[in-house]
Amino acid sequence: GDGGCFFQVTDIAVKPSHQGRGLGKLIMREIREFLNTVPDKAYVSLIADGEASKLYAQYGFESVMPRSQGMFLRR
């Protein structure tokens, strides 16, 4: 993020051979602890692929649809 107003959670991954051991939850707990220190008005975003949205929802993240829509440009 820009250190004050906007923060983006990106590239969270657990190697398939290590999944199911709570590592994703450990990572998200640490991220949430950090996000508790950012300004109250900050906008925190992430892109959740597949079933990952269920993990993120456990930590307070909500879908932005239909208000917003994620997009990308492949180069």
Side-chain angles (χ1 to χ4, degrees):
D2 64 4
C5 295
F6 301 96
F7 295 83
Q8 187 171 29
V9 179
T10 61
D11 299 329
I12 297 170
V14 175
K15 189 174 180 177
S17 60
H18 295 285
Q19 291 176 356
R21 300 179 184 177
L23 296 174
K25 290 181 179 182
L26 175 66
I27 293 167
M28 286 308 299
R29 278 195 303 270
E30 292 294 321
I31 290 172
R32 281 299 280 137
E33 281 188 36
F34 169 76
L35 293 174
N36 287 337
T37 70
V38 305
D40 289 338
K41 299 279 185 181
Y43 184 81
V44 181
S45 63
L46 65 79
I47 295 176
D49 293 331
E51 296 294 309
S53 62
K54 293 178 181 176
L55 172 66
Y56 303 136
Q58 294 176 37
Y59 295 89
F61 288 89
E62 303 174 24
S63 174
V64 296
M65 291 293 286
R67 296 181 313 274
S68 296
Q69 169 178 302
M71 301 177 78
F72 77 101
L73 173 66
R74 183 166 304 191
R75 299 190 42 146

